[in-house]
Every structure is written in C-alpha cells, then in structure tokens.
Amino acid sequence: MTIRPARADEAAALVDFWGRAGENEARPADTEDAVRRLVARDPESLVVAERDGRIVGSLIVGWDGWRFHLYRLAVDPGARRSGVARALIAHAEERARDVGAGRIDAMVLEANGQGASFWEASGFRPQDEWRRWVRTGPYES
C-alpha cells in the first residue's frame, strides 16, 4: 500500500470513492471542482491510500497555519480493518510534526459510531467544551 498526495486529475474518482466509502450525511455534496481547488491550494492536504493502482482510502489533512484538522477519512468497505486508516493517520501525524502543529483535531459526525470508535482507539477524545458552528454559503464564485 502507498500513501500519497491526491492529484487534481483524480477528482472524479475521489468523489465516486467518497460516495461508496465515506460518511455522507449532514454535509454538502462533494464536487470535483472542490477537490481540484483543495489540491491546487495545498497539494499535500488530500492524501490517498492506494493498493494495486486503486484508491482504497483517503484523508483530508488540513493545516491552516494555526491548527491541524483531519476530516473525510474514508476506507473502501472491502479494505477495512487492514491498516488503511491507521496508515493515513500516521501520515497525517508525520505532516503535523513537519509543520510544527501543536495539536490535531478530527471531524467526526455524532452519529458515526464506527468512526468514533476508530478515533478513540487512535488516541483521540471528544472535546466537550467546543461545538462546531457552521454557516452555509454560497461562497463559491
């Protein structure tokens, strides 16, 4: 298995992958254009796990210069429990060290029990003092 940055030309494959393997509730739909913009803005921010030339996992590894954020962790259903997610997290932690991040947070939907169990087993804990507040746009031009 290889962990590597996603490429802009993989946008359609990633949107399709997330439709099959990702948690798709309570958030806006993914678009190919959004994937391309993310990769153009920060080429290291979207990483994929690849096995036999096929994407089997993904993780957005966002660094805003202040905090380090992990989200859109997805693993192909046929590749779960084979170390894909752990390899993606290890890659993210290495990047966090490289940029000097003081902490890492992971975005996990409240109803995603399987995801919560994985993150807890990986050493993450919910932070009860904070709640995410969102405002939808249209912020795209």
Side-chain angles (χ1 to χ4, degrees):
M1 179 174 57
T2 303
I3 305 294
R4 62 167 176 78
R7 300 183 312 266
D9 66 353
E10 294 176 305
L14 280 161
V15 169
D16 179 62
F17 173 74
W18 289 333
R20 288 182 288 106
E23 173 61 65
N24 296 304
E25 299 297 320
R27 60 177 188 74
D30 297 308
T31 66
E32 293 175 34
D33 190 48
V35 171
R36 285 189 288 271
R37 281 194 319 268
L38 175 63
V39 171
R41 181 185 171 278
D42 181 355
E44 308 251 345
S45 63
L46 174 53
V47 293
V48 296
E50 185 178 65
R51 186 178 285 153
D52 299 323
R54 196 170 67 88
I55 294 173
V56 295
S58 72
L59 179 63
I60 295 177
V61 181
W63 168 245
D64 63 14
W66 190 259
R67 290 188 175 97
F68 203 80
H69 310 282
L70 306 179
Y71 47 103
R72 299 300 287 135
L73 175 62
V75 175
D76 185 276
R80 292 184 181 153
R81 299 198 171 274
S82 68
V84 173
R86 293 205 186 284
L88 288 163
I89 298 304
H91 177 89
E93 290 175 330
E94 182 177 325
R95 184 173 188 219
R97 279 189 295 277
D98 289 348
V99 301
R103 73 175 192 170
I104 300 174
D105 65 60
M107 302 293 286
V108 184
L109 289 169
E110 289 288 329
N112 185 350
Q114 183 179 22
S117 294
F118 167 79
W119 288 106
E120 186 171 2
S122 298
F124 289 74
R125 300 288 178 263
Q127 187 175 11
D128 295 331
E129 303 85 7
W130 291 85
R131 182 148 222 26
R132 183 174 179 199
W133 295 61
V134 298
R135 182 178 192 180
T136 56
Y139 299 110
E140 296 179 17
S141 54

